[in-house]
Amino acid sequence: MSAPIVSNDAAPLVEARGLTKHYPVGGGFFAREKLVVRALDGVDLALRPGETLGIVGESGCGKSTLGRCLLRLVEPTAGEVRFDGRDVLTLPAADLRRMRRAMQIIFQDPYASLNPRMRVGAIVAEGIEVHGLAEGAEKRRRVEELLRQVGLGSEHADRYPHEFSGGQRQRIGIARALAVGPRFIVADEPVSALDLSIQAQVLNLLMDLQEQMGLAYLFISHDLRVVEHISHRVAVMYLGRIVERAPRALLYANPRHPYTRALLAAVPVADPRHRPVRAPLQGDVPSPLKPPSGCSFHPRCPYAEPRCRSDVPALVEGAGGHAVACHVFPAPTE
């Protein structure tokens, strides 16, 4: 099963411009230097209705922070977020509360994200109650319908989370996200804690729901094969910035940025006769407290030139919507 086709003519549902999040750390009143963790450093993106944008990168590159800033679960330091044309960051509390119905999140850990003291029916119904969408028998009916929609039975509503497997718990998390009728869902590593066979079931469930309901997903993962399966477009992040973004087929067939090539080369291949030659990737991810000057990837890049150490490459879009932030390997022109 592949991701359904999305019209390129549709207006963006979610947009971010110059999205930045810095966390102040240490220092103190008498500190000479105020240190900040640059979790996000000027991210631009757009997501259309019914589209899945996959976000990949190593741990600590800002993927989860990006998702939370888009939902305003974390307040950005700077930048702009628009949902359906409205500026999310300037909305008053009452308007933001109403808008939250349209923006939901599926968390990574199906064991930690569900309250162990609440029955499943109460967990799924919580959003319905908060937004006053139904009560009494109608609320119960909606909860049972949601559980069936994600592959569970109505009898599961009276059980507790510890009575379910990891895959079932993640289905409960999906039902909870769907309960208020969202249009945009941030899926933050939703299958990374699951066995491979269960991963496939949950991914196919998400894709079926997208096709039925026209949902837009920001799908965050470190697994490039999972992202290839579910995404329409893919953005690669490194140290709080997007270094490459392209339609799925273009990015996997012709990765431009050396970091993207290294990530793809590191993906395990079942057939040893077809293992790719791994691009040399040296050293560890630099500290976001003191990121390198110029291109943040240059200390680990085997192709770095002198200008890479001093000039920050802009994310430039080329042919086919393939955007790259690299001095040495720019976006394709045809």
Side-chain angles (χ1 to χ4, degrees):
M1 182 176 183
S2 59
I5 297 172
V6 175
S7 171
N8 292 327
D9 298 328
L13 178 66
V14 182
E15 293 180 276
R17 295 289 179 266
L19 195 59
T20 301
K21 180 60 182 177
H22 293 170
Y23 291 97
V25 295
F29 186 78
F30 295 103
R32 294 182 179 180
E33 183 180 5
K34 301 295 183 182
L35 299 177
V36 296
V37 173
R38 299 174 179 270
L40 290 181
D41 218 1
V43 172
D44 296 343
L45 62 81
L47 185 60
R48 295 183 292 272
E51 180 184 30
T52 299
L53 175 62
I55 305 291
V56 299
E58 292 169 290
S59 297
C61 69
K63 304 187 300 294
S64 294
T65 302
L66 171 60
R68 284 161 171 73
C69 283
L70 291 176
L71 298 177
R72 204 177 161 185
L73 297 177
V74 171
E75 292 290 337
T77 304
E80 181 181 351
V81 177
R82 290 190 172 274
F83 181 83
D84 208 12
R86 300 186 67 187
D87 189 345
V88 175
L89 304 183
T90 61
L91 285 177
D95 290 345
L96 180 62
R97 181 186 179 92
R98 285 191 291 270
M99 183 171 282
R100 287 205 185 282
R101 281 190 56 191
M103 305 185 299
Q104 292 292 305
I105 185 169
I106 300 168
F107 294 99
Q108 174 179 0
D109 189 347
Y111 294 92
S113 61
L114 303 179
N115 189 333
R117 298 183 179 181
M118 295 177 66
R119 296 181 190 271
V120 165
I123 291 172
V124 176
E126 195 168 18
I128 296 174
E129 294 173 354
V130 166
H131 291 281
L133 302 179
E135 57 184 22
E138 174 61 17
K139 181 180 70 175
R140 177 79 181 188
R141 185 194 66 78
R142 292 184 67 164
V143 168
E144 292 176 352
E145 182 181 342
L146 285 162
L147 290 176
R148 284 194 293 270
Q149 198 169 9
V150 298
L152 298 174
S154 58
E155 69 276 8
H156 293 136
D158 293 322
R159 299 180 186 177
Y160 288 95
H162 73 268
E163 300 180 65
F164 295 89
S165 66
Q168 289 174 320
R169 290 188 192 202
Q170 197 60 291
R171 290 174 185 269
I172 295 166
I174 294 170
R176 177 177 57 184
L178 295 176
V180 293
R183 299 168 61 196
F184 168 53
I185 292 179
V186 173
D188 189 0
E189 299 267 13
V191 298
S192 64
L194 307 178
D195 294 338
L196 286 177
S197 60
I198 306 302
Q199 283 186 15
Q201 294 175 23
V202 173
L203 288 174
N204 288 333
L205 171 62
L206 290 172
M207 294 167 71
D208 288 341
L209 292 170
Q210 181 178 56
E211 190 169 8
Q212 295 166 18
M213 306 170 66
L215 297 169
Y217 293 140
L218 186 82
F219 190 91
I220 297 168
S221 180
H222 64 276
D223 189 329
L224 277 84
R225 290 307 172 201
V226 167
V227 169
E228 182 182 19
H229 178 70
I230 197 171
S231 301
H232 297 94
R233 290 185 300 131
V234 180
V236 181
M237 290 191 67
Y238 187 78
L239 273 187
R241 293 175 177 165
I242 292 177
V243 297
E244 187 164 6
R245 184 183 63 233
R248 173 188 57 192
L250 289 181
L251 185 130
Y252 281 83
N254 182 28
R256 302 288 295 174
H257 199 283
Y259 179 60
T260 307
R261 297 180 185 181
L263 291 179
L264 287 171
V267 174
V269 177
D271 189 343
R273 295 170 298 178
H274 295 90
R275 287 176 181 168
V277 177
R278 297 200 174 196
L281 186 57
Q282 303 170 354
D284 298 322
V285 180
S287 170
L289 278 170
K290 292 187 176 180
S293 59
C295 174
S296 56
F297 187 63
H298 85 257
R300 306 173 70 191
C301 180
Y303 309 103
E305 299 177 349
R307 59 177 173 167
C308 301
R309 297 171 174 82
S310 57
D311 301 334
V312 178
L315 185 67
V316 179
E317 184 170 312
H322 196 155
V324 186
C326 183
H327 295 305
V328 182
F329 299 102
T333 57
E334 59 180 31

